[in-house]
């Protein structure tokens, strides 16, 4: 993917659109999680057996970025109460062209529409810089919780009000 993707939800951007995930997306989302290059090496056990099931998609706010060819390029899951980004993944070959920013713009818009002023993010350590670049603020650290999570993780909050985001 060589073109940049910009914009917000509802419209096509560089041929990429964001739509609500459906149960039949479950296997594609699971493959995206398990194949993520961000979870190689010491992080691999975190996603080794992870599964995004149809039941998860049907009961949570899950949205996918889809390329013009129908390929799922990334997704996020927003928990409304308490407000938290539960999952966010972008395919390795779709990173750096705006897909993640498109998803975050969509998340902020949907969170605002739901009356949420801020969304908590417990970040994968290598992803912290991305979240900071889209307006999140570091508020603390979530301690490791072995055996599930063997490392401390940055805790951030993402304001959903565009005036607070500073761009």
């Amino acid at each position: 993917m060589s073109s940049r993707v910009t914009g917000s939800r509802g419209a096509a951007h560089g041929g990429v659109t964001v739509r609500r995930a459906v149960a039949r997306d479950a296997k594609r989302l699971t493959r995206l999680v398990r194949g993520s290059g961000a979870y190689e090496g010491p992080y691999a056990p975190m996603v080794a057996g992870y599964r995004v099931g149809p039941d998860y998609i049907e009961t949570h706010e899950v949205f996918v970025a889809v390329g013009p060819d129908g390929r799922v390029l990334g997704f996020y899951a927003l928990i409304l109460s308490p407000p938290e980004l539960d999952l966010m993944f972008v395919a390795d070959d779709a990173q750096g062209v705006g897909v993640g920013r498109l998803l975050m713009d969509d998340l902020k818009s949907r969170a605002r529409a739901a009356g949420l002023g801020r969304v908590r993010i417990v970040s994968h350590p290598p992803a912290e810089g991305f979240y900071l670049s889209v307006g999140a603020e570091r508020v603390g650290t979530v301690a490791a919780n072995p055996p599930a999570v063997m490392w401390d993780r940055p805790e951030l909050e993402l304001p959903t009000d565009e005036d607070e985001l500073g761009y």
Side-chain angles (χ1 to χ4, degrees):
M1 181 173 233
S2 59
S3 63
R4 295 201 60 79
V5 177
T6 59
S8 61
R9 123 186 128 138
H13 301 285
V16 178
T17 58
V18 177
R19 66 163 170 80
R20 180 77 187 244
V22 294
R24 72 177 176 274
D25 291 322
K27 287 182 182 178
R28 289 189 280 185
L29 302 187
T30 296
R31 279 194 303 272
L32 205 149
V33 170
R34 290 183 184 175
S36 175
Y39 284 87
E40 293 177 342
Y43 300 116
M46 182 80 176
V47 298
Y50 199 88
R51 179 179 169 268
V52 180
D55 53 336
Y56 180 89
I57 291 170
E58 290 175 353
T59 58
H60 292 84
E61 301 288 315
V62 182
F63 294 88
V64 295
V66 181
D69 59 356
R71 181 174 163 240
V72 172
L73 302 173
F75 76 100
Y76 74 86
L78 173 63
I79 305 297
L80 297 176
S81 183
E84 183 169 355
L85 175 64
D86 190 36
L87 298 168
M88 177 151 171
F89 285 84
V90 174
D92 290 351
D93 64 348
Q95 292 181 12
V97 297
V99 173
R101 286 185 183 280
L102 179 65
L103 287 168
M104 292 304 291
D105 286 348
D106 189 77
L107 176 143
K108 288 182 267 193
S109 177
R110 291 182 193 279
R112 272 193 308 275
L116 306 175
R118 298 178 86 69
V119 175
R120 179 179 187 239
I121 301 170
V122 178
S123 178
H124 178 51
E128 181 181 13
F130 167 75
Y131 292 121
L132 293 171
S133 79
V134 295
E137 304 157 349
R138 178 91 184 246
V139 296
T141 301
V142 174
N145 185 17
V149 180
M150 302 299 289
W151 55 89
D152 292 347
R153 294 168 292 158
E155 180 178 14
L156 305 108
E157 285 189 351
L158 178 70
T160 64
D161 183 347
E162 291 173 341
D163 293 336
E164 284 189 57
L165 292 171
Y167 60 89

